[in-house]
Amino acid sequence: MRVDLDLGDLGFDEGAALLIRRALRASPPGKQVLVTGCAPDLDLHIESWCRSEGHEVKFRRSNQQTHAVVTCGSAPATRWLDAQRAGLPNPAVTGAVSDHPSRRWGLAARGALVESNVPEFDFNLVDRAKVWVPDAGHIYTLATAAQWDPATAIPWQAQFESDTEIEDAVVQIMTYLIENETAALMVPSRFIAQLHPHFQEVMQVLAVQAADEARHIEVFSRRARLKRDLLGCSTSGGQESLKTLIDEPDFAVSSFLLSVLGEGTFLSLLWFLDEYAPDPVTKMVSRLAAQDEARHVAFGIAHIREHLANHPGKREQLTNAIRRRHDRLHNTSGLNAEVFDALVHVAAGSWSVPDLRCGYGRVKRLIAEMHDLRRKRLVQLGYSDEEASELSGLHTRNFM
Amino acid sequence: MSEPLILGAVAYDDKVVSIWEGFKSYFFRRGLEFDFVLFSNYERQVQMHFANQIHIAWNSPLAWIQSQRIAASSGRQAHAMCMRDTDRDLTSIIAVRSDGPIYSVAELKGKKVAVGAPDSPQATLIPLHFLTEHGLTPDVDFEVVRFDRLAGKHGDHIGGERDAALALMRGETDAACMIDSNHLLFTQEGTLQPGATRVLARTAPFDHCNFTVLDGAPADLVNRFRDLLLSMSYADAEVRRLFELESLKQWLPGRTSGYSALNAAVDRFGVIAPFVTKVAAACG
């Protein structure tokens, strides 16, 4: 059967190739299309285009019109013969997310038809059982809806008087928060680059987490510099603790240590700062960061729960990771004295003995609450009360 | 390990390494020991071919004619074994600006005509010969403006033709010569703006590259190479990647009927005679 295609005065400089390709699409070799048209140089361009596409063309001349009979070559029909469908777009559909997506699917969107000669990509995280979180799409939606603008969400212009030493304490706490948030940015960022993009929603959650942390770094930095030109101290013990997170090569272990235990503990700290902040800016940056961190913790728990459901044997590896980290940090100082003192001072509000006693008690209750919530999260993941209590006690004294 | 079949190719672009490494792996998995040597210019490749340093040369049309003439002068045989489907029946065109006053070849007299590299069959030698056939002698009846990119590559690099097209668009020349596929490319990519140029003339069809084999090459290896080439299918994903790099859909048997225009151009301009004489003398 032959198809007629009238290009009118449409030339190859305005898209004529699209119409010819459409007429030949999915055509068996040998199918003919009679192309007519009157654009300048149309003969020349049809002939050259057909040669490069592997089609035959013969011309019939008449008046000023081009009459070209294009016979479909074998190339278009064979091109997609061995293409693969890279899963399905909707992750809720059974089989949509592949257990072991091919590295040759590369960067293709999930659900795309992938040509077979795509080069192989060096993704490391390619097993669904290790990375997939069924609720990731929902968590991502919540995360994007909850994004806030540091320029407008924080009352930067608020007028407040601050005691010089209280301000010093706030600056020290912000300095500590910044380096912890930097670790929390770098860890998911590294795994994004290793993750097969087939697990699209997980990739997106990690990306928005990294963006969250970037924003936290911004607002903590800005709060620290509100009344000071210099920041506080960064200690070797604190950095030694964070380095264990940066150095952890396993995605699940990293997620467990950082999101479930570290950010979970940090959540208590940020709500503590929201409650005892000496000024409205400190209060708001802590509150907004806490809201973001809560999502990170929820994703971490969902990830580890799914992972343990697929790999019950992984529990031992996670347990060992806590013990190993504890052993590595055993001889370090953990939370630096400057940060601890700053927290007490901020919670006390002054150096008076009654206030200091009160502030000290609040920080002790904070640490007890951190332990209690860590323990509960571990129980959520299937640990016994006894195990959870012991493992929570081994968590870094640096909080994150 | 047995002795491999050694092919020569000219490195006109970085992708040449990917192309021949890909072919090497493909042939190796099918039992053909194969290796390749890259040259920086076709003259060196032809010279080394006649010095028996390579068994097969992936030759430009000009290198084919050089080889054919050296073989004829030195009592040897040159054979065009295979070529791409896209090497057959090409044409060159001469473009002018649509709003210009030139409507016939004769009106190029006294004008400036942009061409590609001096050794480019499609963008220089064949179109200049075409104009000669129509009564206009280059550098006498019209000024030849050369856009020389990568001499020795025989116009394989697209840069010279693109520069010629851009010179036409800027009004620095009155006409520009290029192969038909590049006219299509420049039109689609916008180097030649829509409606800004007209095709003033088009040459008769000619052929382009071929695998050249000289007498004395190891027949069993050459035949195996030829059979593998002709059996390669675009439907095979591995082959398709290589074919797309090398711009073909199918290998075809070689033919020599499509080089008459270039032969005539070479005779008229005398561009390869000293090289042919030198290499033929070395063979003797």
Side-chain angles (χ1 to χ4, degrees), chain A residues 1-72:
Chain A
M1 190 182 83
R2 200 180 71 189
V3 172
D4 290 350
L5 172 65
D6 184 4
L7 295 174
D9 61 355
L10 187 74
F12 273 70
D13 54 354
E14 295 174 313
L18 275 75
L19 288 180
I20 302 175
R21 194 177 285 119
R22 176 170 174 261
L24 292 167
R25 187 175 297 153
S27 298
K31 179 184 172 181
Q32 291 189 327
V33 175
L34 174 61
V35 182
T36 55
C38 59
D41 309 327
L42 188 60
D43 288 16
L44 174 78
H45 289 158
I46 287 180
E47 190 171 346
S48 183
W49 182 83
C50 285
R51 188 194 308 128
S52 68
E53 297 289 318
H55 305 305
E56 286 184 15
V57 62
K58 291 193 182 333
F59 291 94
R60 298 178 191 164
R61 313 265 174 207
S62 75
N63 303 327
Q64 297 300 308
Q65 281 265 7
T66 289
H67 292 263
V69 179
V70 178
T71 305
C72 187

Side-chain angles (χ1 to χ4, degrees), chain B residues 209-230:
Chain B
C209 300
N210 71 55
F211 285 111
T212 306
V213 183
L214 299 178
D215 56 310
D220 51 344
L221 292 177
V222 169
N223 290 336
R224 177 74 180 137
F225 176 71
R226 180 182 184 279
D227 292 345
L228 283 173
L229 282 182
L230 294 176

Side-chain angles (χ1 to χ4, degrees), chain B residues 46-149:
Chain B
V46 170
Q47 202 174 13
M48 290 298 107
H49 199 183
F50 278 89
N52 300 317
Q53 298 300 303
I54 56 175
H55 299 126
I56 294 179
W58 178 229
N59 271 340
S60 73
L62 188 61
W64 157 249
I65 288 175
Q66 289 170 336
S67 298
Q68 202 181 28
R69 293 185 180 200
I70 293 165
S73 298
S74 59
R76 297 190 65 177
Q77 303 290 321
H79 170 56
M81 188 182 67
C82 283
M83 63 201 330
R84 299 169 296 190
D85 53 354
T86 48
D87 281 316
R88 292 187 172 190
D89 298 321
L90 316 181
T91 59
S92 290
I93 62 102
I94 300 167
V96 295
R97 285 189 301 282
S98 298
D99 59 359
I102 301 170
Y103 284 89
S104 70
V105 170
E107 289 172 295
L108 288 175
K109 190 174 175 68
K111 304 293 186 187
K112 293 180 178 178
V113 176
V115 301
D119 54 12
S120 170
Q122 64 270 15
T124 304
L125 297 171
I126 290 174
L128 288 183
H129 173 66
F130 173 87
L131 290 174
T132 306
E133 293 283 282
H134 285 74
L136 298 175
T137 303
D139 294 320
V140 175
D141 294 314
F142 61 93
E143 182 183 344
V144 179
V145 182
R146 292 180 169 81
F147 290 90
D148 188 1
R149 286 275 189 103

Side-chain angles (χ1 to χ4, degrees), chain B residues 148-225:
Chain B
D148 188 1
R149 286 275 189 103
L150 301 176
K153 307 290 196 286
H154 294 187
D156 283 356
H157 192 278
I158 195 173
E161 284 174 74
R162 183 174 275 121
D163 289 347
L166 288 169
L168 173 66
M169 292 305 298
R170 289 193 299 265
E172 294 168 8
T173 66
D174 301 290
C177 303
M178 64 198 75
I179 197 165
D180 56 14
S181 55
N182 281 342
H183 186 264
L184 174 63
L185 173 68
F186 297 158
T187 298
Q188 290 181 316
E189 72 181 15
T191 299
L192 297 175
Q193 291 155 16
T197 60
R198 273 185 283 114
V199 174
L200 179 71
R202 188 178 181 190
T203 69
F206 57 86
D207 288 354
H208 212 255
C209 300
N210 71 55
F211 285 111
T212 306
V213 183
L214 299 178
D215 56 310
D220 51 344
L221 292 177
V222 169
N223 290 336
R224 177 74 180 137
F225 176 71

